[in-house]
Amino acid sequence: MYEFDYHRASSVADAAGALGKADDGSLIAGGQTLLPTMKMRLASPSDLVDIGFLEELKGISVEGGGVKIGAATTHAEVAGSSDVASNIPALAALAGGIGDPHVRHMGTIGGSVANNDPAADYPAACLALGATINTDKRSIAADDFFTGLFETALQEGEIITSVTFPGADKAAYMKFANPASRYAMVGVFVAQTGDGVRVAVTGAGEDGVFRVADMESALGGDFSSGAISGVSVSSDGLASDIHAGSEYRAHLIGVMARRAVDAANG
Amino acid sequence: MPTVSMTVNGKSVSGDVSANTLLVDFLRETLGMTGTHVGCDTSQCGACVVHVEGKAAKSCTRLAVQCEGAAVTTIEGLASGGDLHPMQEAFRDNHGLQCGFCTPGMIMAGVDLANRRGNKLDEDTIRNELDGNICRCTGYHNIVKAIAAGAAAMDK
Ligand SMILES: Cc1cc2nc3c(=O)[nH]c(=O)nc-3n(C[C@H](O)[C@H](O)[C@H](O)COP(=O)(O)OP(=O)(O)OC[C@H]3O[C@@H](n4cnc5c(N)ncnc54)[C@H](O)[C@@H]3O)c2cc1C
Ligand code: FES
Ligand code: FES
């Protein structure tokens, strides 16, 4: 890791100020993605501004039938929250399946969403549930937030403060985890709400998380796994790497989607 | 260089370190406490697991400066005097180690698991919760047995 200066922010405003003054500053929350990246020298910020300790970014509150989760809330806190479990159990289960217990103790939802790793779990939940990503400047719909591989709508220096998830009538997430890393090789989040059905896929897309319109319309008419057994997903635009080819990923999307619908109905 | 102060195994410690010093290097190099191991340095193996504010964390994926003011527990902090911690004792009794390289992290993960999930742990739970700890020797069976026995013994 290259040298850098470290600032522990005292507030979101203080963090924004410190970032603004830095040459090439970066926020750090849980550090579970940034520190490994810096060790590999794929990132070399001049300054780290630590927002992981800010109470104003922590905590979970119930809003309508959904939840609002502070950006610095850890995966373990989301997984263990009775408010999340009772309002959106699929979201609590998703958080409990991220990485391993040690990663879940430190990693945060804000860091995960900001990073938009193509194999991360939270982006699928955000997209399928129609979440809103709130920052120190504005609120961004999930549909507009995830713009590509490790790319988001966040501007330079913009800080995520919380993520709001509306509730769903039925929802479930099924992940085919890479056995070594636990990241999703394919993960499918299915949600049924008054507005219809949304199906979001992570782990598979070359450009990150995406929705499957054919499955959404089939499930809109009949929310059963049988309704999508005939829907095939094209392998065009899907990732191919040492873990899985794009054809296999396309197949897994169908399998995981059907399992998710069964689980949501379960 | 920033000065970092924290509590390690109940004792106040401090040292001057550059901001890019990892917690594990602070423990091993600055404090000379070499019980915490570095297996991969890429956040995968769990040999470096310690407890930060009572929660298991990979000390190769935490900066020393992030632990300013924190309470840290390492493998050296488990035994009291000559008496091994029940989880350490269980690893010995169940032959839960061969070379011993992964063992500090396994034991710290096992204690954390018992703290979070209670003293009656079934095999599935233990295996799932060991996702972040890799052992190249044992094949895990005896580690799983040791953690079940250690967790049960922690109840007493
Ligand atoms: C072994 C291992 C296994 C893992 N497995 C999985 C997995 O199965 N699924 C999964 O989804 N993830 C996985 N992860 C990643 C993990 O979930 C990370 O916690 C997460 O991706 C990043 O969160 P963080 O708080 O650690 O962010 P950091 O590493 O601190 O930051 C990541 C990036 O986000 C930016 N950032 C952080 N917070 C904010 C904010 N509030 N506003 C704007 N930008 C911000 C930072 O500047 C940085 O660029 C794994 C990680 C490891 C080490
Ligand atoms: S040395 Fe920290 S996880 Fe391997
Ligand atoms: S006992 Fe040798 S690595 Fe686990």
Side-chain angles (χ1 to χ4, degrees):
Chain A
M1 238 191 295
Y2 293 106
E3 295 269 346
F4 53 82
D5 287 325
Y6 173 85
H7 315 262
R8 194 177 288 192
S10 57
S11 66
V12 172
D14 178 47
L19 264 188
K21 267 188 257 149
D23 242 5
D24 179 18
S26 175
L27 297 170
I28 183 166
Q32 301 302 294
T33 291
L34 186 57
L35 293 176
T37 312
M38 288 170 65
K39 287 197 212 174
M40 287 189 288
R41 301 195 163 183
L42 295 173
S44 51
S46 63
D47 296 77
L48 284 190
V49 178
D50 196 340
I51 53 171
F53 294 89
L54 292 179
E55 284 305 321
E56 60 183 302
L57 293 183
K58 285 181 190 281
I60 296 165
S61 54
V62 176
E63 287 204 349
V67 289
K68 182 175 178 182
I69 303 176
T73 309
T74 64
H75 309 326
E77 286 160 352
V78 174
S81 157
S82 53
D83 284 337
V84 180
S86 57
N87 286 282
I88 316 178
L91 188 60
L94 174 146
I98 295 176
D100 59 57
H102 325 311
V103 168
R104 293 196 287 274
H105 278 149
M106 298 293 144
T108 68
I109 187 170
S112 175
V113 170
N115 196 51
N116 192 17
D117 187 300
D121 297 302
Y122 271 125
C126 292
L127 204 53
L129 289 165
T132 303
I133 290 86
N134 307 302
T135 77
D136 58 339
K137 300 203 170 76
R138 58 194 166 133
S139 291
I140 310 166
D143 285 303
D144 304 323
F145 185 84
F146 302 105
T147 53
L149 209 61
F150 297 104
E151 298 282 339
T152 68
L154 288 176
Q155 286 157 2
E156 190 81 24
E158 192 169 1
I159 302 174
I160 300 176
T161 51
S162 65
V163 182
T164 312
F165 293 92
D169 299 331
K170 291 178 177 178
Y173 178 63
M174 281 290 153
K175 145 156 121 169
F176 192 95
N178 177 306
S181 75
R182 316 315 294 170
Y183 273 99
M185 213 137 88
V186 165
V188 180
F189 201 111
V190 174
Q192 184 187 44
T193 67
D195 298 333
V197 176
R198 290 164 71 113
V199 179
V201 176
T202 189
E206 273 179 328
D207 295 324
V209 66
F210 64 92
R211 288 169 62 184
V212 187
D214 289 349
M215 287 188 178
E216 293 183 355
S217 53
L219 290 168
D222 170 15
F223 193 75
S224 74
S225 53
I228 49 171
S229 58
V231 178
S232 62
V233 174
S234 161
S235 59
D236 288 350
L238 297 190
S240 215
D241 53 30
I242 53 166
H243 307 300
S246 54
E247 296 283 334
Y248 182 47
R249 279 194 164 87
H251 174 73
L252 279 180
I253 292 171
V255 176
M256 291 299 117
R258 291 194 294 275
R259 286 188 193 170
V261 173
D262 285 339
N265 281 325
Chain B
M1 271 207 235
T3 302
V4 234
S5 307
M6 63 184 88
T7 308
V8 177
N9 300 331
K11 251 180 61 192
S12 299
V13 297
S14 62
D16 294 332
V17 294
S18 56
N20 63 0
T21 302
L22 299 170
L23 174 60
V24 70
D25 293 327
F26 180 74
L27 294 170
R28 291 179 57 90
E29 310 292 333
T30 310
L31 302 181
M33 296 172 61
T34 53
T36 303
H37 292 170
V38 178
C40 66
D41 198 30
T42 54
S43 316
Q44 277 146 354
C45 75
C48 65
V49 168
V50 300
H51 298 179
V52 178
E53 295 289 315
K55 290 179 182 146
K58 291 173 174 169
S59 61
C60 77
T61 315
R62 200 79 189 146
L63 298 169
V65 288
Q66 287 179 293
C67 299
E68 170 68 36
V72 173
T73 307
T74 70
I75 188 74
E76 290 97 334
L78 289 189
S80 51
D83 294 333
L84 291 180
H85 184 281
M87 191 60 78
Q88 292 174 304
E89 195 70 58
F91 268 71
R92 182 165 72 181
D93 291 347
N94 290 279
H95 198 57
L97 59 148
Q98 288 179 22
C99 81
F101 197 86
C102 69
T103 314
M106 288 288 178
I107 290 179
M108 296 312 285
V111 172
D112 174 71
L113 175 55
N115 287 343
R116 285 184 292 113
R117 304 288 295 267
N119 302 97
K120 273 192 166 159
L121 297 171
D122 62 43
E123 183 181 339
D124 263 8
T125 305
I126 297 172
R127 287 187 185 275
N128 272 323
E129 293 275 338
L130 283 182
D131 265 350
N133 295 80
I134 294 172
C135 174
R136 295 196 62 172
C137 302
T138 63
Y140 300 97
H141 291 309
N142 289 349
I143 290 178
V144 174
K145 279 188 215 155
I147 290 178
M154 281 168 66
D155 203 13
K156 286 171 196 143

